[in-house]
Amino acid sequence: MTIALYGEDAYLREAAAEVVAHTPEGGLVLDRTVFYPTGGGQPGDSGVVIWDGRELEIATTVKGEGDQIVLVPAAPMALPEVGVKLVQHLGWERRHRHMRVHTALHLLSVVLPLPVTGGQVGAEKGRLDFLMPEPPENKDAVEDALNELIDRDLLITESWITEAELDAQPELVKTMSVRPPRGKGSIRLVRIGEGPEQVDLQPCGGTHVARTSEIGAVRLGKVENKGKQNRRVHMHLG
Ligand SMILES: [Zn+2]
């Protein structure tokens, strides 16, 4: 398995690691990684790994067999051998934008308190699909409410609960299409705001900023019809 360092500290940009496997597709598996793999609507990370004065550009990261995380090289090149120690450097600007957009989508689900049926995070914008039979009456008011939450500079923290505890609180799960990862015994909860300031609590394995002010101002884009019951709400970083 690969230890997911980004799950403990989303701000970790570099880390030493050891190569533990190559995949048949030419991917690189490390014993620990700062690279987030594609999942939950968030794209996989890019960056470089460096060893013995050599450098391999990583285009993206995906989940592999079991708990493996696979770094995908940008171009075919001889991979560092199994057992080699290297240093991985995360493509931070892109990832930090993913963190801002991802966290803003949590807040979008607060100001539009409807079941979420899907979502996508990008570096410039993101979107959520809602079970929303009618469009929002006042889109500007939704955008204002979203920016007010961002301006409150709420703290984002993580904690872990057991699967049994989550099963006892099914209302925590807002996203109908993405079930929290099961089978590991514990699930990560992401909380926005503390104590009486808390505005959101949901299971999530993605990467988030530490405070909502780090997102910066956002604006709502178009609201698209996606079938009778569903609407797709677009959101852009300022
Ligand atoms: Zn999240």
Side-chain angles (χ1 to χ4, degrees):
M1 68 168 274
T2 309
I3 298 169
L5 298 173
Y6 58 82
E8 299 296 324
D9 181 3
Y11 288 84
L12 198 58
R13 304 187 202 186
E14 297 180 11
E18 186 175 322
V19 179
V20 294
H22 299 164
T23 66
E25 297 80 19
L28 189 63
V29 182
L30 307 178
D31 63 341
R32 59 193 58 223
T33 190
V34 296
F35 286 70
Y36 178 83
T38 305
Q42 184 173 328
D45 284 331
S46 51
V48 294
V49 297
I50 295 174
W51 76 104
D52 290 342
R54 302 177 67 186
E55 187 171 311
L56 177 64
E57 192 184 339
I58 303 300
T60 188
T61 306
V62 295
K63 287 175 183 154
E65 303 253 319
D67 284 333
Q68 285 186 341
I69 296 170
V70 180
L71 279 56
V72 180
M77 179 181 150
L79 298 178
E81 295 298 325
V82 170
V84 163
K85 292 186 168 57
L86 51 72
V87 179
Q88 51 193 317
H89 298 265
L90 178 62
W92 172 248
E93 276 189 33
R94 176 171 173 267
R95 151 71 93 69
H96 187 240
R97 285 180 156 270
H98 291 163
M99 287 159 60
R100 290 166 62 202
V101 170
H102 180 120
T103 310
L105 292 182
H106 278 247
L107 295 177
L108 183 61
S109 78
V110 172
V111 297
L112 288 171
L114 298 166
V116 175
T117 56
Q120 185 67 48
V121 171
E124 314 287 336
K125 60 184 182 175
R127 56 176 163 80
L128 284 182
D129 295 342
F130 291 95
L131 198 56
M132 185 194 287
E134 297 298 327
E137 273 178 30
N138 186 342
K139 216 175 79 175
D140 287 345
V142 174
E143 183 178 286
D144 288 348
L146 187 54
N147 281 310
E148 268 170 38
L149 284 175
I150 290 169
D151 286 344
R152 276 170 64 187
D153 196 23
L154 299 165
L155 199 62
I156 293 133
T157 53
E158 288 143 10
S159 56
W160 296 83
I161 60 168
T162 64
E163 291 179 357
E165 284 168 331
L166 182 66
D167 289 341
Q169 303 169 78
E171 70 279 5
L172 286 179
V173 181
K174 290 186 180 180
T175 305
M176 297 159 75
S177 63
V178 184
R179 308 296 303 174
R182 311 286 299 197
K184 292 177 189 173
S186 60
I187 286 168
R188 187 167 71 151
L189 284 184
V190 175
R191 185 187 312 270
I192 303 183
E194 288 191 305
E197 293 270 273
Q198 181 180 314
V199 297
D200 190 43
L201 178 67
Q202 57 178 300
C204 185
T207 57
H208 310 87
V209 293
R211 311 193 68 100
T212 57
S213 62
E214 209 172 314
I215 298 166
V218 297
R219 66 182 171 79
L220 283 195
K222 60 186 173 193
V223 178
E224 287 179 282
N225 269 331
K226 285 283 163 186
K228 264 186 206 156
Q229 299 291 319
N230 281 279
R231 281 185 164 76
R232 174 167 292 175
V233 180
H234 294 262
M235 187 211 67
H236 303 259
L237 290 182

